[in-house]
Amino acid sequence: MPIGCPTNFLKRKYSVIFGCLETNHMAYKKLPGFYPDQEEYQPGEELKDYLEEIYPPKSMATFDEMDNDLRADGELKNLVYESSILYILRRLVTTTEHFFRLNGENKIATNTALRYYLRNYTRYSDEQVNKLSKLLLPCMDTARNNFTDGDKNIAKQQKKYYQWACFVCGKEMNETTSATADHFWPRAMGGLSNSGNLRMVCQICNNNHKKDYINQADYHYEEIAISATDYKHYKGSGHPKIYEVAVFAKSNYCCEVCQEPAYRVGELTVGRIDLKDGWHYLNLAAFCLKHKPE
Ligand SMILES: [Zn+2]
Ligand SMILES: [Zn+2]
């Protein structure tokens, strides 16, 4: 496995049929060994794992059918499932945030309000209410935690380690293009401000790596809607950056062919997996310039 390429997770993710979705969260974790806390889970990640436990994707017959008709090999179905899990996660986190603010950021009072809400406004069991509230409260801290000096140091080390290549697009950064630290698991959704969750990215990618997007499923509904016609229009003037970032996230910031991470192969570009097929999201991936299909 190439260092820093988060495990070719895409291949694994889509080759494994549902039921093995636990591989998904690895995308945020399997990074080079110098991260001292890489085994540490982000609070939002634990919440996501638990939601996947509550809602295992056992009955998605209709989506199976759609996926099969489009020969999407599980990708479409997985996006629908991921999006729904992320919707619930986001909704629970923002509801907790609401109670947190209402209660003057007092955790005990928030906990009481949250439990009351979950018991009376949802149909979660007592056990689920307990577990959910335990997982949700730590997510209130992450949005408020700032970088520590130690984390700032790690960010500096990362710049050196990645040889000033942006983790997302692979383009070279320098002192003046201002490399910035980006939270890969968003702070607002339970991502810690620590070295295990920070990547050095260029300013442009940071602006387009949407603040509270968790993974490619979050970009999915927004970006999949760009039609072939629009795409041609964009093609002349370059792709809209956010669309590129969505596709790079889909390929996990690695080249689809050599599976090397952007920061090692240099600039990534968007291309079609099957050249006979159109420019739709399911047929797009990130490629290094050497493996660019056309
Ligand atoms: Zn970049
Ligand atoms: Zn390549």
Side-chain angles (χ1 to χ4, degrees):
M1 178 177 64
I3 293 174
C5 183
T7 69
N8 304 344
F9 91 115
L10 205 72
K11 294 277 168 277
R12 283 168 51 203
K13 190 160 124 181
Y14 297 127
S15 60
V16 222
I17 303 308
F18 270 26
C20 299
L21 281 167
E22 73 273 12
T23 49
N24 285 1
H25 67 258
M26 301 304 283
Y28 303 92
K29 308 190 65 57
K30 288 280 178 187
L31 285 159
F34 73 81
Y35 294 100
D37 47 8
Q38 67 170 321
E39 294 308 320
E40 193 183 337
Y41 259 59
Q42 305 301 318
E45 256 179 312
E46 286 191 63
L47 175 62
K48 179 167 179 271
D49 282 356
Y50 184 54
L51 290 174
E52 288 176 1
E53 204 181 301
I54 298 179
Y55 304 109
K58 52 189 172 197
S59 165
M60 292 187 72
T62 309
F63 295 107
D64 270 332
E65 218 175 290
M66 291 179 191
D67 190 275
N68 187 48
D69 286 347
L70 293 178
R71 301 176 72 166
D73 300 327
E75 191 178 348
L76 177 64
K77 187 171 68 165
N78 193 48
L79 281 169
V80 173
Y81 176 73
E82 279 281 308
S83 300
S84 309
I85 290 285
L86 296 181
Y87 165 73
I88 300 169
L89 184 148
R90 189 162 274 117
R91 178 162 154 190
L92 289 172
V93 170
T94 48
T95 302
T96 310
E97 179 71 36
H98 170 70
F99 291 129
F100 196 48
R101 267 185 278 116
L102 276 187
N103 287 286
E105 306 206 346
N106 177 315
K107 275 204 174 170
I108 295 166
T110 304
N111 192 22
T112 309
L114 179 63
R115 282 161 169 269
Y116 180 84
Y117 169 83
L118 291 172
R119 283 210 188 89
N120 294 285
Y121 291 85
T122 71
R123 295 202 175 96
Y124 288 117
S125 70
D126 284 350
E127 193 198 333
Q128 288 167 338
V129 169
N130 283 339
K131 183 103 193 247
L132 284 171
S133 52
K134 262 192 206 120
L135 292 169
L136 280 161
L137 283 175
C139 296
M140 296 304 99
D141 292 329
T142 62
R144 288 158 183 82
N145 284 348
N146 288 320
F147 300 111
T148 65
D149 284 344
D151 295 329
K152 278 183 194 150
N153 266 338
I154 299 270
K156 272 188 209 152
Q157 281 179 37
Q158 278 198 34
K159 286 186 213 163
K160 221 163 123 193
Y161 185 85
Y162 297 145
Q163 298 182 324
W164 289 87
C166 166
F167 189 85
V168 170
C169 72
K171 277 184 195 146
E172 207 182 309
M173 305 183 289
N174 56 45
E175 306 279 354
T176 48
T177 50
S178 53
T180 56
D182 192 23
H183 290 80
F184 258 55
W185 190 283
R187 281 208 298 170
M189 294 297 131
L192 297 164
S193 288
N194 66 13
S195 52
N197 192 35
L198 295 174
R199 305 285 174 277
M200 294 314 294
V201 305
C202 71
Q203 192 70 57
I204 299 168
C205 286
N206 203 352
N207 293 345
N208 286 282
H209 204 240
K210 282 227 175 157
K211 243 194 170 113
D212 66 344
Y213 280 13
I214 291 166
N215 64 28
Q216 62 141 335
D218 274 334
Y219 288 93
H220 172 62
Y221 284 109
E222 185 177 344
E223 303 307 325
I224 203 172
I226 296 180
S227 72
T229 329
D230 290 338
Y231 192 79
K232 256 187 221 153
H233 167 74
Y234 283 122
K235 225 181 152 193
S237 53
H239 321 298
K241 190 66 192 177
I242 185 157
Y243 193 72
E244 274 186 10
V245 172
V247 175
F248 295 168
K250 182 187 171 194
S251 292
N252 219 20
Y253 316 102
C254 294
C255 165
E256 185 73 10
V257 177
C258 63
Q259 293 294 330
E260 288 283 330
Y263 71 85
R264 287 176 64 171
V265 287
E267 201 174 327
L268 290 180
T269 182
V270 174
R272 282 178 295 171
I273 298 165
D274 184 341
L275 293 178
K276 293 195 188 89
D277 197 354
W279 288 91
H280 61 81
Y281 190 77
L282 296 182
N283 191 37
L284 297 180
F287 296 92
C288 71
L289 296 182
K290 194 173 140 199
H291 294 120
K292 196 181 166 192
E294 58 215 291

